[in-house]
Amino acid sequence: MKKMKKNQKKQNGGDMVLLTGTSHPELAQEIAKKLGIPLGAVKLGRFPEGEIALQILDNIRGKDVFIVQPTCTPPNESLMELLILIDAARRASAKRITAVLPFFGYARQDRKDRPRVPITAKLVANLIVSAGANRVLTMDLHAGQIQGFFDIPVDHLYSINVLGAYFKKKRLKNLVVVSTDVGGIKMARGYAKLFGCDLAIVDKRRESDSKTEVMHIIGFVTGKNVIIIDDMISTGGSLVEAAKALKSNGAKDIYSCIVHPVLAGKAIERIQGSPIKELVVTNSIPLGKEKQIKQITQLSIASLLADAIYRIHYNESISTLFSSAGVEA
Ligand code: R5P
């Protein structure tokens, strides 16, 4: 990072520009600080009827523009701001536009799992490309295959090094990593490999958007400390039901490590009333005051993103950022 700042200074900011909307300005500010450049000036408001009013105030002609905007709650506002920012940057003759999406909303709608439903993740990818993005930088997608929804280069980061390092410092003994569903096995296996421990799987059935039921636990959890792994927590149903089932199967301390803290509906209440000792998340999504409870620890991924932005800008490889991630290919 020191080298990064030095080089950046040497080039007087280079032709790199960092812009943000309103979905997570704190993260954008943190990234800008790590890169040693100021955030680009954007005037962002609403017309009386609610339409987004926006103007990029700096000259960005011929610049390499990075737009930091997780499409988190409120997802439609965040997405529309992102699209309009991309459009404004394109029409202002930016040389290249990278959409930086630490959290990619709508990712769970990535297939037709019932008749007459949309594949909204693909629609969103189409919109981002049509608006004028040349690249996407994202992190821990719900499904890695979503990269293929974009017909432009996608750099997909993993936060396992950040989250894993935190847990490694705890030196938890007699550990088992648990995936909350079959779809999350690959990710959980990466953590199990990093911690050198076993893997167990919760066989869950989703009864509605906010209700899940645990059918079985596959693996040995009795008398063990547990870390439940997932890519996102929305209503908290999957996590809390899994934690309860693990506890009644004799698990000792229950921790959880989840990348994207969506925390919708009654998630906070559910966590507070659960046997979860600590839930560790990233700041891919901001945590409002009401969500900053004792059980939740939030770790910053600003350095990871700043490093990736720097490397993209200078055409350096970014694979070294996740080569030690332990995520199995
Ligand atoms: C599902 O496939 C995801 O990986 C998460 O387990 C799920 O989105 C969590 O949702 P909720 O917190 O509402 O159960």
Side-chain angles (χ1 to χ4, degrees):
M1 195 57 67
K2 258 187 198 159
K3 186 182 139 216
M4 185 191 295
K5 277 195 179 158
K6 202 174 147 204
N7 285 350
Q8 191 63 47
K9 215 172 162 189
K10 206 164 82 191
Q11 304 218 3
N12 197 21
D15 64 352
M16 188 197 295
V17 172
L18 203 64
L19 302 177
T20 189
T22 60
S23 74
H24 202 346
E26 303 81 11
L27 176 62
Q29 194 64 62
E30 225 187 302
I31 296 171
K33 207 170 156 199
K34 304 253 177 222
L35 287 166
I37 58 170
L39 262 183
V42 175
K43 192 171 152 201
L44 221 166
R46 295 291 181 271
F47 287 109
E49 65 277 53
E51 289 178 2
I52 293 164
L54 180 155
Q55 187 185 9
I56 299 168
L57 299 176
D58 298 325
N59 173 20
I60 57 163
R61 189 175 290 269
K63 301 274 172 91
D64 191 14
V65 175
F66 293 84
I67 302 173
V68 181
Q69 176 87 339
T71 48
C72 51
T73 311
N76 303 329
E77 285 286 308
S78 302
L79 175 63
M80 201 61 203
E81 271 186 13
L82 170 70
L83 298 174
I84 295 175
L85 267 166
I86 296 172
D87 185 70
R90 180 169 57 110
R91 292 175 196 282
S93 307
K95 181 178 69 188
R96 181 173 69 172
I97 303 165
T98 303
V100 182
L101 305 166
F103 170 70
F104 179 68
Y106 283 108
R108 289 183 294 180
Q109 297 183 46
D110 60 353
R111 64 199 176 284
K112 265 191 92 169
D113 53 0
R114 280 166 295 148
R116 298 174 296 284
V117 293
I119 304 182
T120 316
K122 171 63 179 154
L123 171 66
V124 170
N126 286 347
L127 290 171
I128 291 171
V129 175
S130 301
N134 305 109
R135 305 184 66 89
V136 168
L137 171 61
T138 188
M139 195 185 80
D140 289 294
L141 285 168
H142 175 62
Q145 299 89 305
I146 292 171
Q147 291 169 65
F149 288 3
F150 294 90
D151 283 328
I152 52 174
V154 175
D155 289 307
H156 186 203
L157 303 174
Y158 299 99
S159 56
I160 185 171
N161 283 342
V162 178
L163 294 166
Y166 178 84
F167 278 101
K168 273 197 148 184
K169 271 195 208 141
K170 286 187 181 282
R171 298 181 184 279
L172 297 170
K173 297 264 175 319
N174 200 14
L175 193 61
V176 61
V177 155
V178 175
S179 171
T180 55
D181 57 24
V182 177
I185 293 178
K186 203 167 130 183
M187 183 182 189
R189 199 188 291 137
Y191 280 86
K193 197 173 159 192
L194 187 71
F195 301 142
C197 69
D198 288 339
L199 174 68
I201 299 151
V202 170
D203 175 20
K204 92 175 170 194
R205 186 170 63 191
R206 188 170 278 284
E207 297 192 335
S208 71
D209 287 344
S210 60
K211 199 167 185 313
T212 58
E213 194 191 343
V214 173
M215 309 304 287
H216 305 101
I217 290 170
I218 306 163
F220 298 101
V221 299
T222 311
K224 296 200 168 212
N225 291 311
V226 169
I227 305 180
I228 304 172
I229 309 288
D230 212 339
D231 63 310
M232 71 168 86
I233 172 166
S234 178
T235 64
S238 307
L239 172 64
V240 171
E241 290 312 309
K244 284 185 195 161
L246 290 163
K247 204 65 185 171
S248 54
N249 274 265
K252 275 171 76 186
D253 287 344
I254 300 183
Y255 297 86
S256 181
C257 174
I258 300 187
V259 180
H260 306 296
V262 177
L263 297 168
K266 295 203 165 125
I268 292 293
E269 272 172 56
R270 278 180 165 158
I271 293 164
Q272 283 171 323
S274 78
I276 296 158
K277 191 164 178 184
E278 186 179 10
L279 164 61
V280 182
V281 298
T282 75
N283 63 343
S284 64
I285 295 174
L287 279 190
K289 272 227 166 87
E290 71 292 353
K291 294 179 183 172
Q292 293 172 18
I293 58 168
K294 261 193 179 163
Q295 276 154 293
I296 300 183
T297 303
Q298 194 178 34
L299 304 180
S300 178
I301 36 100
S303 287
L304 178 67
L305 289 168
D307 221 346
I309 288 171
Y310 178 88
R311 284 161 192 260
I312 291 169
H313 179 65
Y314 290 107
N315 293 319
E316 289 177 12
S317 164
I318 74 155
S319 60
T320 47
L321 290 183
F322 44 79
S323 58
S324 59
V327 174
E328 305 239 317

